[in-house]
Amino acid sequence: DKSEPQIEARRKFRDTAFWQPTQRTDSSGQATVRVTLPDNLTTWRATVQAVTDNTAVGYGVSKVISRKPFFVRLEMPRYLT
């Protein structure tokens, strides 16, 4: 198959993927946050800090790698051949 793959060009480049200063947990202390990552091809770090009404504190860090398909044509442009 000699056709070119249909890949969108990357456009959204940001230093911070997501910022949400407050999030409530459920009765078991769990919370879910959905994030759409920017087009940066990098490792993102998620940092979470939690404080209860009784001033108990918690902290967590996790990493995720953002990838997208990549296409390079290694030939002369058609108008030059």
Side-chain angles (χ1 to χ4, degrees):
D1 183 18
K2 300 249 181 194
S3 65
E4 295 180 6
Q6 299 300 317
I7 299 174
E8 289 185 37
R10 298 180 295 134
R11 290 185 173 87
K12 290 187 336 182
F13 297 100
R14 298 197 174 128
D15 294 331
T16 302
F18 182 76
W19 168 254
Q20 184 172 355
T22 60
Q23 175 70 32
R24 294 270 179 194
T25 61
D26 60 17
S27 60
S28 66
Q30 299 290 313
T32 301
V33 177
R34 297 193 188 281
V35 176
T36 301
L37 294 176
D39 289 339
N40 305 46
L41 302 179
T42 188
T43 300
W44 293 98
R45 183 184 70 214
T47 304
V48 178
Q49 298 177 351
V51 180
T52 67
D53 292 336
N54 299 333
T55 65
V57 297
Y59 179 82
V61 176
S62 184
K63 293 184 180 181
V64 64
I65 297 174
S66 174
R67 296 183 177 112
K68 288 193 96 167
F70 186 71
F71 175 73
V72 175
R73 180 188 300 228
L74 299 175
E75 60 184 42
M76 294 290 289
R78 291 181 184 159
Y79 64 88
L80 290 177
T81 56

